[in-house]
Amino acid sequence: MSKEEHFVVIGAGHAGGVAVQSLRNFGHEGRITLIGEEATLPYERPPLSKDLLHSPNDSEFQLIRDAVYYNDLNIDILLKKTAVSIDADAQLVVLNNGESIHYDKLLLTTGGRPQTLDLPGSELKNIFTLRTIEDSRAVESKLHKGARILIVGGGFIGLEVAASARMRGAEVVILEANSRLMGRTLPAEVSDVFLKLHTDNHISVRLNQSVKEFLGKNEVQEVTTNSGEKFEADAVIVGIGILPETDLAESAKIKIDNGIVVDEFARTSNPFIFAAGDNTNHFNPMLERHIRLEAWLNAQEQALAAARTMCNELKAYNKLPWMWTDQFDVNLQIAGFTEKWDNLVIRGDITGRDCTAFQVEGGIIKSALSINRPRDMRVARRMISAQLPFSEPDLKDDNISLRDLLKRAKSRKD
């Protein structure tokens, strides 16, 4: 690397914040510029739908690093700036104010944008999505005792917001277009657990229901569903997933396929442009295929891999997918990447919300989930990565620790 090389990172979210500090840690001595649309330095996003909605203040709002840290590392941070295009031939980033910034290497950590509903009345006020600290503050301002909150989407974000709203005393209705909560991620047995969790906390859950129309004068006042039901609402939060931000990559003529296509080293189809985070469709050597993940761990670890690569140190991003959600007093963790759960092996009490479960194929654990058992999950992740055979009766037996099962499997291999 040359001290004259200028590394530019577009996207000042979690991945961008991790990337710029990692570039320094891995030895880049040249200029580093971080460009972000928001007015805030990079911060942790998981609290936006949880802790920051439980409390009316920012006590849990965490910057990844403060301004002094970035200044000490001589990192230039351009906030409230939007990159509108990339001239890949000239290696220029064009900003919305007309300014152009030259780069020697460019990292795209632009994340994703929330999907919205293009329906009659969707322009009304008090219809929110949740992606930024400003979104979280706006939603939090609507959560008070007796407020009528309607959540569109029964995935992670929707259910976390629903739980937070209920904990603040709001009346909550969830509309989920599919037949199960978190149906794309969880087996039916676990979806049922979370359905009961929310109904036990006096949340009205409507499955197989989607929004037909938003009604109101200036603000939303009522929501009509496809079945003809009507719900009064003081605020609506739409949580139906995100779309990868690929506009900049497209302007640079980089390969796109359900996100920016990158290899295990975070390299795009352009040798001077890299990408990391929610916006990528990356090759996972462990799974031997490309995947797109929307998770904290992915933003963290893939940003590290990208920074290494930009500093000419190749180390594959080969992490087992892992994510979590907290709803009321229940912690759910999921590891692996299973598109269907058709052989669920359960240890513990699933109805009592105290269990660990495994998706097993030919004796090999492909995925695992835990409900209120974070210690089990730490071991389960190692069990999946080991790709060793385990006995299903042993996995079910709660009297045998997972640590012992892993030791036995390793000893048999040796």
Side-chain angles (χ1 to χ4, degrees):
M1 288 180 294
S2 167
K3 291 183 179 180
E4 303 304 316
E5 283 189 317
H6 184 196
F7 289 3
V8 175
V9 179
I10 303 177
H14 184 90
V18 170
V20 291
Q21 68 186 57
S22 300
L23 287 170
R24 286 288 185 238
N25 292 340
F26 296 140
H28 180 58
E29 298 180 359
R31 287 182 61 198
I32 298 176
T33 300
L34 176 63
I35 303 169
E37 291 186 338
E38 295 183 60
T40 309
L41 292 169
Y43 55 87
E44 297 277 2
R45 293 191 187 270
L48 299 185
S49 57
K50 298 183 275 289
D51 297 341
L52 288 178
L53 297 185
H54 300 166
S55 172
N57 58 55
D58 285 351
S59 60
E60 299 298 327
F61 178 50
Q62 284 189 313
L63 295 174
I64 296 174
R65 296 288 186 177
D66 61 20
V68 174
Y69 177 86
Y70 296 111
N71 185 63
D72 288 345
L73 290 182
N74 195 25
I75 296 170
D76 297 325
I77 299 185
L78 306 180
L79 299 177
K80 296 191 289 185
K81 301 286 186 182
T82 302
V84 295
S85 66
I86 299 168
D87 184 337
D89 293 331
Q91 293 181 221
L92 292 174
V93 174
V94 181
L95 303 183
N96 57 335
N97 62 0
E99 181 184 357
S100 294
I101 298 176
H102 180 270
Y103 64 85
D104 293 289
K105 293 181 182 178
L106 175 65
L107 174 61
L108 301 177
T109 55
T110 47
R113 63 183 183 276
Q115 294 191 59
T116 57
L117 295 171
D118 184 14
L119 296 170
S122 57
E123 75 286 351
L124 292 170
K125 294 180 179 178
N126 288 349
I127 300 175
F128 304 96
T129 56
L130 185 58
R131 186 66 176 168
T132 69
I133 183 62
E134 294 304 322
D135 294 337
S136 183
R137 287 169 175 153
V139 170
E140 186 278 325
S141 71
K142 302 299 178 182
L143 306 185
H144 54 80
K145 187 173 182 179
R148 298 164 299 184
I149 305 298
L150 189 136
I151 309 292
V152 182
F156 279 29
I157 293 295
L159 295 182
E160 288 170 0
V161 174
S164 297
R166 190 71 193 109
M167 292 164 71
R168 294 285 297 278
E171 299 174 8
V172 181
V173 174
I174 298 172
L175 301 182
E176 168 52 50
N178 296 311
S179 60
R180 295 195 283 114
L181 296 178
M182 297 184 287
R184 289 176 293 181
T185 307
L186 299 180
E189 298 93 328
V190 182
S191 293
D192 291 344
V193 169
F194 280 85
L195 175 61
K196 189 172 189 303
L197 171 67
H198 284 263
T199 55
D200 283 352
N201 282 279
H202 308 291
I203 290 176
S204 176
V205 180
R206 297 291 206 275
L207 300 175
N208 300 304
Q209 291 268 37
S210 57
V211 177
K212 181 179 179 181
E213 185 177 14
F214 299 104
L215 301 173
K217 293 183 178 180
N218 295 313
E219 299 181 348
V220 65
Q221 296 173 317
E222 197 171 53
V223 176
T224 303
T225 74
N226 60 317
S227 68
E229 281 193 270
K230 289 187 177 181
F231 298 93
E232 294 182 337
D234 299 306
V236 174
I237 296 90
V238 178
I240 55 175
I242 68 170
L243 298 170
E245 284 284 9
T246 60
D247 290 350
L248 281 174
E250 289 170 10
S251 74
K253 299 180 174 58
I254 291 171
K255 184 178 180 181
I256 306 293
D257 182 10
N258 186 30
I260 303 171
V261 177
V262 297
D263 64 9
E264 62 268 41
F265 304 108
R267 298 179 296 196
T268 73
S269 56
N270 183 300
F272 303 106
I273 303 178
F274 309 80
D278 291 355
N279 58 343
T280 66
N281 183 0
H282 71 275
F283 184 77
N284 184 299
M286 185 178 297
L287 302 175
E288 298 183 332
R289 60 190 172 96
H290 277 80
I291 59 173
R292 189 169 75 83
L293 294 175
E294 302 164 11
W296 177 92
L297 182 67
N298 183 59
Q300 170 83 20
E301 297 297 328
Q302 199 178 23
L304 283 169
R308 285 183 187 274
T309 302
M310 293 171 72
C311 293
N312 302 323
E313 179 185 342
L314 290 183
K315 184 177 180 180
Y317 169 49
N318 191 26
K319 292 287 185 179
L320 182 76
W322 170 71
M323 61 191 71
W324 81 91
T325 178
D326 293 312
Q327 300 168 30
F328 296 107
D329 59 349
V330 175
N331 170 259
L332 168 69
Q333 298 187 36
I334 306 169
F337 199 84
T338 295
E339 296 183 354
K340 60 179 181 178
W341 298 80
D342 55 3
N343 186 32
L344 196 65
V345 178
I346 301 171
R347 65 193 280 128
D349 181 6
I350 188 169
T351 58
R353 301 165 191 157
D354 177 30
C355 72
T356 302
F358 304 92
Q359 166 66 17
V360 181
E361 298 176 17
I364 305 297
I365 301 172
K366 296 297 183 180
S367 295
L369 61 85
S370 68
I371 301 177
N372 287 334
R373 288 193 174 190
R375 290 183 179 178
D376 271 11
M377 179 50 69
R378 285 195 287 271
V379 184
R381 290 164 69 182
R382 291 162 52 199
M383 295 170 79
I384 299 169
S385 297
Q387 289 294 282
L388 296 172
F390 293 90
S391 158
E392 291 188 19
D394 284 348
L395 290 175
K396 290 179 181 179
D397 191 342
D398 222 2
N399 294 314
I400 308 173
S401 76
L402 293 182
R403 289 182 185 275
D404 286 344
L405 289 181
L406 182 56
K407 287 179 182 177
R408 290 182 196 175
K410 287 182 175 179
S411 65
R412 287 194 298 268
K413 179 184 178 183
D414 297 337

